[in-house]
Amino acid sequence: MLRSYFKIAWRNLVKRKVFTGINILGLSIGFGSAILIYLFLGYHYSFDDFHVNKDRIYRMATEEHMDDIDYSASVPPAFAKVFQEEYAYADKVAKIMDRDGLVIDVDRNGNIAKYKRDVLFAQEDFFKIFSFPLVDGSNTISISAPNTAVVTESEALELFGTVDAVGKTFVLENDKTIEITGILKDIPSTSFLEAEIFISFENLKDFSEFGYGENWGGITTNLQCFALLKPDQDIAHIESVLLELPKKYRPNSKNTHIYKLQPLSKIHLNEEYGGLDPVFLIVFGIIGLFLLIIASINFINISTAQAFYRSKEIGIRKVLGGFKKQLFWQFLSETFLISIFAIIIGFGMAVFFLPSFNELFNIQLSFESLLNLKFFGFLLALLLLVSLLSGAYPGILLSRIVPILALKGKLNHNDTGGSKTRKVLVVAQFVISISLIVATLVISRQIEYATQTDLGFDKESIIMLEVPENLDPDKFHDLKSRLQQVVGVQNVSGCLTSPGGANTFWDTTVKYNNRPEREDFSISIKIGDADYLNAFNIPLAAGRNFFKNDSITELLVNEKFIAKIGASSPDEILGKTLAVNGERIKATIVGVVKDFHDGSFTQEIRPVFIAPYVRWYNEIGVKMNYKNTKTTLAQLEKEWSQTFSKHVFGYRFLDESVAEQYETEQRYLSLSKVFSGLAIFIGCLGLYGLILFFVSHRTKEIGIRKVLGSSVSNILTLFTLDFFKLIMVAGLVATPASWYLMEQWLQGYTYRTQIGWWIFAAAIGSVMLITLVTISYQTLKAASANPIKSLRTE
C-alpha cells in the first residue's frame, strides 16, 4: 500500500511539473535557510561546552551602582585572593589580564622577526579551571615561574616554524626573554577566549601594577577572575555573602559594587557583560520559521487551488471504494515526496551558500559539525513537520469531496477549499513580508543616523597611530614635529584614545571644587595634548584650551559635566578645581567643550574631562588629506619607525573604529535584507503559481470580457485588484505589529531615529510593486490572447 501511495504520488507530481517545481523551489529555500540557521544557532549555543567542569566554572562580575548601573565582566584585582582565602566556596580561583599589541621578537637563525600580538597574562590555576590541553593530551601546564609561557600549536608554527617549540624563546617588548614551556592544542572557535599566547602572571607587574597588585580601588575590563566552585554550591547564597566585601574593603566609595557570579554558559550570551544579545538568536530562529511557514503556505494555496481539477479523480477513487483515510494518506505522501526532494536540494543550497554566510557574519561554520544523530534528528523532525503542516489541510480537504458532485462537475471552489482560506494564507504571507521590510528600513535608518549624525567630533580623514606605553616626552615632541611636516598631514595630536570609538572608556571617581565628598557619578578620562580639540574638531563652549604641557595642571570638561554637577552655566565652574582618579590628579578647569558622543548611540553622553599627560599617550591622531593616502601613510610609517625602531608600526582609521560599535546592528541589517528578500521571493513563487492557476481557470471569462469590449488594462486591473486588497489588509495587520516590535528595539538607543509613516507606506508599496511585476506576465499573456481560441469550445 505504501509503495502504491508513492507511485501514484510520483505520477501526479510529474503530471503537474510547473506547480511541483514551484513547491519544491519554495520549500528548498525554506529548508536551506533552516539548515543554515540551525548551524548558526548550534554554534552560538555550544560556546564553552567542551570544558570538563563547565557546570562549576563561573566568571566574577560587578554591578557598579552610582547615578546609574554599569555592568563589568571584571572585579577589583584583590577580589580573587580574598575569595579564595576567606571563603570555602571554590576549589580554584585564577586571574587573567590581556594586553593588546605587544611586540614579540623571534630569532630565526640570526634573523630577528618582529610580530605584534595580543597577549594574555594568566595565573597557573587558570589552566586547572579550564580544559585547554597540551598537544600531548596532558594538562600539566606550568607557567607559575616568571618569563614562562605556553602558546597554541598554530601560533607556535607561525612564530617558530614548528609545533615542536618547547624550550624555544622569544623577547617580549624588547626586554624580557620568555621561554615556551608547553604547546596548547588550538583553542576551539566556540570559546570565549581568543588568546594564542599565555604568559606567566608574574610578568604582568612589568606592564600593569594595577592589574598585578592587590587593591580594591577600581576595575579594568582587561582583568578577569574565574573560579571553579565546589560541587552543589548555592549561587544566590554566595552572591548574598559577597555583599559584605564592598562594605569591608570599599566603605567610603560612592561607586557601590555588587559582585555577581556569571556561569560559563552565559558568558557568550549576555549582552550586559559584553556578550552577544540572545534576542538576536531568537529573532534569527523566528525568521527561519517564518520562511518555512511562507513556503508551506505556498504549498497549501497551490494544492487547494488544484483541488478543483482533481475532483473527478477523487470522485472515481471514492466510487471504486477508496476511503477518506486512504485518500488523506495518498495526498500526504505526495507532500512527503515533495518535501524529500526539497530537503535534499535545500541541503545542497546550504552547502553552496555557507562560505557567503560565514563571511556575512564573520564566523567559521562547518558542516563537519553536523555529522551526528542530533542533526539528522533535526532534519527528520523538520521533514515531518513541514510535510504535516503543508499536506494535512489539503489532504483533509480533498478527502472530503462528495463524489456525486465531483463526477457531475457541479463542484465549485468553495467545495474544494474555497477562496477564503487562500486569502487568509496569502494575507499571512504579506504580513510577514511587510514586517521584514519595515524592520530592514528601521534598522538601516538607525545605523545611518548613528554613523552620519554629527558626533560632536570629526572622524573623517583621521588615522590613529599606535605608540608604545610610557612614552618619553622628548621622543613624542620630536616625532610629532616630524609628522606635522609630512605632505598631506593637516594636524597631529597625542592622546590616550580618540574622542569616540570602540573600547575607549576609562571612568574614574571625581571630586569637585574641594568638596568633602566625591560626586555620585563617574567621569570619563580623555587624555590629549593641546592640539586634541583642533585635530578632532571639538568646539569650545566656554573658557579656553589648556596651555601646552606634559603634565596635568589644567583641564577641560564637557557640558554634560555641568549638568551633572548642578551648575547653572559654564562660567560658574571655570577656575574651579577637579580631583580625579582617586584624587591622584588635581587640576583647574579652564574650559568647557561641547558634548560629543564618546560611545555608541546606545549609551548616554557621559561627563568627560580632557587633559595632557604624555606618558599616558597610547595613540597619535593624524588629520590628513585623503588625496594621497598611500604615499602619506608610507611617509608616516617611515617617520614613526625612526623613533620606534624596535616596535611594529600599527594604525587604524577612526571612522572604521566608530563603525565597529555598530557591528551587531550591521548584522541585524544584513539578516533583515537577506531574509526579507528570501521571504518575498518565496511569496512571489506562490503568487506566480496561484495566478497561473487562476488565469488558466478564467481563460473563457477573459475571452468573454474582451469580446464585450474590455481592454488589456481593464483585465490586468481585474486580476491585480484582488491581490492589492489583500496587501492592504496585510498592511493594516503588519503596521501596528511591526511598529511595536521596532519601537521596542529602538528603546535600546539613547539617541535614536523616529519611525515615520513613510516607512510603512514604502513597505506596503514595495510589496504591491513586487506583486504587480510577479502577476503581470501571465495576466498580460492571457489578456493579449485571441479570445476566439478560448471561446471556440462553447
Side-chain angles (χ1 to χ4, degrees):
M1 182 63 74
L2 188 63
R3 181 181 178 186
S4 174
Y5 285 158
F6 281 103
K7 191 173 183 180
I8 296 170
W10 174 256
R11 290 173 180 171
N12 281 315
L13 296 180
V14 172
K15 184 178 180 180
R16 298 172 179 85
K17 294 184 180 68
V18 174
F19 296 110
T20 300
I22 289 173
N23 282 331
I24 289 177
L25 181 56
L27 287 174
S28 296
I29 294 172
F31 280 130
S33 300
I35 291 170
L36 285 176
I37 289 172
Y38 174 86
L39 198 62
F40 183 79
L41 296 182
Y43 170 80
H44 284 288
Y45 282 113
S46 66
F47 259 67
D48 300 305
D49 66 353
F50 56 89
H51 297 286
V52 175
N53 296 309
K54 58 185 178 183
D55 296 333
R56 294 165 50 201
I57 299 174
Y58 287 78
R59 180 171 68 178
M60 306 307 178
T62 305
E63 284 185 14
E64 299 181 83
H65 292 247
M66 294 188 73
D67 55 330
D68 55 10
I69 301 176
D70 290 328
Y71 300 90
S72 176
S74 183
V75 286
F79 180 94
K81 185 176 181 181
V82 170
F83 185 73
Q84 187 163 31
E85 293 182 354
E86 296 187 13
Y87 302 98
Y89 301 124
D91 285 333
K92 302 287 182 184
V93 180
K95 294 188 291 185
I96 59 172
M97 187 168 186
D98 63 90
R99 295 300 302 266
D100 298 338
L102 298 187
V103 176
I104 288 176
D105 293 344
V106 178
D107 188 343
R108 288 191 170 186
N109 300 320
N111 296 318
I112 302 299
K114 285 187 174 293
Y115 301 91
K116 202 164 196 176
R117 290 290 189 266
D118 298 339
V119 167
L120 193 76
F121 295 93
Q123 292 181 328
E124 187 174 25
D125 279 349
F126 177 78
F127 292 101
K128 296 176 183 177
I129 294 173
F130 293 94
S131 304
F132 296 120
L134 297 170
V135 291
D136 62 9
S138 71
N139 199 34
T140 56
I141 299 169
S142 177
I143 54 170
S144 58
N147 304 325
T148 57
V150 293
V151 298
T152 63
E153 51 187 324
S154 293
E155 189 68 17
L157 193 61
E158 186 168 351
L159 292 178
F160 303 103
T162 177
V163 175
D164 186 18
V166 174
K168 294 184 180 295
T169 62
F170 62 81
V171 177
L172 181 65
E173 284 289 289
N174 306 299
D175 182 30
K176 297 291 184 181
T177 299
I178 309 295
E179 180 184 358
I180 305 297
T181 58
I183 306 298
L184 293 167
K185 287 184 179 179
D186 285 341
I187 295 172
S189 60
T190 54
S191 172
F192 76 93
L193 202 63
E194 298 179 354
E196 301 282 347
I197 301 175
F198 303 83
I199 298 176
S200 171
F201 201 79
E202 294 301 312
N203 285 95
L204 181 61
K205 58 187 174 186
D206 298 323
F207 297 90
S208 174
E209 291 183 9
F210 173 80
Y212 182 77
E214 300 289 341
N215 65 81
W216 293 88
I219 288 176
T220 174
T221 53
N222 299 98
L223 180 74
Q224 297 188 59
C225 176
F226 295 89
L228 176 64
L229 298 185
K230 294 177 180 179
D232 304 320
Q233 293 296 312
D234 184 342
I235 304 304
H237 170 72
I238 295 174
E239 289 181 340
S240 67
V241 171
L242 293 179
L243 291 173
E244 68 187 37
L245 290 182
K247 299 174 185 177
K248 183 176 180 180
Y249 294 104
R250 298 170 52 88
N252 300 318
S253 176
K254 293 233 174 159
N255 184 358
T256 303
H257 284 186
I258 297 178
Y259 301 121
K260 297 290 185 178
L261 274 68
Q262 185 183 21
L264 179 63
S265 60
K266 300 293 184 182
I267 289 178
H268 180 63
L269 297 177
N270 190 315
E271 188 181 27
E272 286 181 342
Y273 292 106
L276 182 69
D277 186 355
V279 174
F280 175 67
L281 300 183
I282 294 171
V283 170
F284 209 88
I286 290 173
I287 289 177
L289 180 62
F290 279 168
L291 291 178
L292 283 175
I293 289 174
I294 291 175
S296 298
I297 287 173
N298 280 353
F299 191 100
I300 293 170
N301 281 338
I302 292 174
S303 296
T304 55
Q306 291 183 87
F308 182 79
Y309 290 110
R310 298 189 65 176
S311 59
K312 289 186 178 179
E313 171 197 341
I314 296 163
I316 292 172
R317 286 179 182 276
K318 283 197 169 185
V319 168
L320 294 176
F323 295 105
K324 285 185 178 181
K325 183 179 179 181
Q326 292 174 320
L327 291 169
F328 172 79
W329 285 107
Q330 171 63 53
F331 294 116
L332 201 61
S333 66
E334 290 183 18
T335 308
F336 187 72
L337 195 60
I338 287 176
S339 298
I340 289 176
F341 288 134
I343 207 164
I344 292 172
I345 296 172
F347 186 84
M349 287 180 173
V351 172
F352 181 79
F353 287 106
L354 183 61
S356 300
F357 188 84
N358 282 335
E359 184 177 352
L360 178 65
F361 291 100
N362 193 28
I363 54 178
Q364 292 297 322
L365 301 180
S366 169
F367 277 104
E368 295 175 2
S369 60
L370 297 182
L371 301 178
N372 54 64
L373 290 176
K374 188 177 179 181
F375 173 68
F376 291 111
F378 165 75
L379 283 187
L380 180 60
L382 202 62
L383 180 64
L384 294 175
L385 177 65
V386 171
S387 297
L388 287 172
L389 185 66
S390 303
Y393 176 71
I396 293 170
L397 201 67
L398 292 171
S399 65
R400 287 179 177 175
I401 288 177
V402 180
I404 295 176
L405 295 176
L407 293 175
K408 287 184 177 181
K410 293 185 178 182
L411 284 174
N412 57 41
H413 284 285
N414 287 325
D415 296 320
T416 58
S419 61
K420 289 183 179 179
T421 302
R422 284 192 291 274
K423 286 179 179 179
V424 170
L425 294 175
V426 170
V427 166
Q429 283 184 314
F430 285 143
V431 167
I432 294 172
S433 298
I434 291 170
S435 298
L436 288 173
I437 293 173
V438 168
T440 301
L441 292 174
V442 172
I443 294 170
S444 179
R445 285 273 295 170
Q446 179 59 30
I447 294 176
E448 180 182 348
Y449 177 77
T451 54
Q452 296 185 13
T453 300
D454 182 13
L455 299 177
F457 66 91
D458 190 1
K459 61 184 173 63
E460 304 299 331
S461 306
I462 294 179
I463 292 177
M464 305 303 298
L465 307 181
E466 299 173 12
V467 294
E469 293 182 352
N470 296 316
L471 188 59
D472 179 75
D474 293 335
K475 278 189 176 183
F476 167 70
H477 292 304
D478 177 62
L479 174 61
K480 180 179 178 180
S481 177
R482 287 186 283 110
L483 292 178
Q484 288 172 328
Q485 303 304 314
V486 173
V487 176
V489 170
Q490 298 174 357
N491 213 318
V492 178
S493 172
C495 57
L496 175 68
T497 63
S498 62
N503 302 319
T504 63
F505 306 148
W506 179 11
D507 289 350
T508 185
T509 56
V510 55
K511 182 182 283 190
Y512 172 68
N513 198 29
N514 298 314
R515 289 178 179 176
E517 297 289 333
R518 294 176 183 174
E519 305 302 322
D520 60 358
F521 63 87
S522 60
I523 193 167
S524 182
I525 297 177
K526 296 290 181 184
I527 297 297
D529 65 14
D531 289 314
Y532 194 78
L533 300 188
N534 291 332
F536 297 104
N537 195 23
I538 301 173
L540 272 169
R544 61 171 175 83
N545 194 5
F546 47 76
F547 296 122
K548 290 185 178 181
N549 206 332
D550 292 336
S551 58
I552 303 176
T553 58
E554 299 176 330
L555 55 79
L556 310 173
V557 296
N558 64 346
E559 294 171 314
K560 187 70 173 182
F561 175 81
I562 298 173
K564 284 286 188 180
I565 212 70
S568 59
S569 69
D571 294 332
E572 186 179 332
I573 69 167
L574 296 178
K576 301 295 193 298
T577 59
L578 200 67
V580 299
N581 197 28
E583 300 182 52
R584 286 182 287 272
I585 298 174
K586 192 172 184 180
T588 303
I589 301 173
V590 296
V592 179
V593 299
K594 292 281 188 180
D595 283 339
F596 57 85
H597 289 276
D598 59 331
S600 74
F601 275 34
T602 61
Q603 301 159 322
E604 189 176 353
I605 292 175
R606 296 170 300 174
V608 166
F609 85 82
I610 305 171
Y613 190 68
V614 173
R615 295 195 180 277
W616 283 356
Y617 294 168
N618 286 341
E619 297 180 308
I620 294 178
V622 180
K623 175 73 174 177
M624 56 182 282
N625 186 333
Y626 264 166
K627 291 182 180 179
N628 298 296
T629 304
K630 190 174 181 180
T631 303
T632 304
L633 269 174
Q635 190 60 36
L636 290 174
E637 181 176 4
K638 179 181 177 181
E639 299 295 339
W640 186 95
S641 298
Q642 287 181 15
T643 303
F644 306 114
S645 58
K646 294 183 178 181
H647 293 80
V648 180
F649 179 72
Y651 67 91
R652 61 188 175 90
F653 293 95
L654 181 56
D655 56 349
E656 293 177 358
S657 178
V658 172
E660 283 178 13
Q661 298 174 104
Y662 303 98
E663 283 185 356
T664 300
E665 288 78 4
Q666 290 286 2
R667 288 171 185 166
Y668 271 121
L669 181 59
S670 299
L671 172 75
S672 299
K673 286 180 178 178
V674 170
F675 287 112
S676 294
L678 288 177
I680 292 169
F681 180 73
I682 295 173
C684 287
L685 282 176
L687 288 177
Y688 184 79
L690 282 177
I691 203 68
L692 196 63
F693 166 77
F694 290 141
V695 166
S696 63
H697 173 63
R698 299 174 69 176
T699 302
K700 288 176 181 166
E701 177 191 341
I702 294 171
I704 293 171
R705 289 181 179 276
K706 289 197 70 175
V707 168
L708 294 177
S710 290
S711 64
V712 172
S713 60
N714 292 143
I715 295 171
L716 179 62
T717 302
L718 175 69
F719 275 87
T720 55
L721 195 59
D722 287 339
F723 284 103
F724 281 3
K725 289 177 181 178
L726 297 180
I727 293 172
M728 292 307 298
V729 172
L732 292 175
V733 175
T735 295
S738 57
W739 175 85
Y740 175 77
L741 291 173
M742 296 317 297
E743 271 291 320
Q744 294 301 306
W745 181 75
L746 286 172
Q747 291 302 316
Y749 291 87
T750 305
Y751 307 95
R752 43 164 288 185
T753 186
Q754 299 299 318
I755 304 178
W757 63 268
W758 67 268
I759 290 178
F760 303 100
I764 295 170
S766 299
V767 172
M768 281 185 170
L769 180 61
I770 293 167
T771 301
L772 180 63
V773 172
T774 302
I775 67 179
S776 290
Y777 172 71
Q778 285 297 333
T779 304
L780 289 172
K781 182 179 176 183
S784 303
N786 190 339
I788 296 175
K789 292 182 179 180
S790 61
L791 297 175
R792 64 177 45 169
T793 56
E794 291 295 314

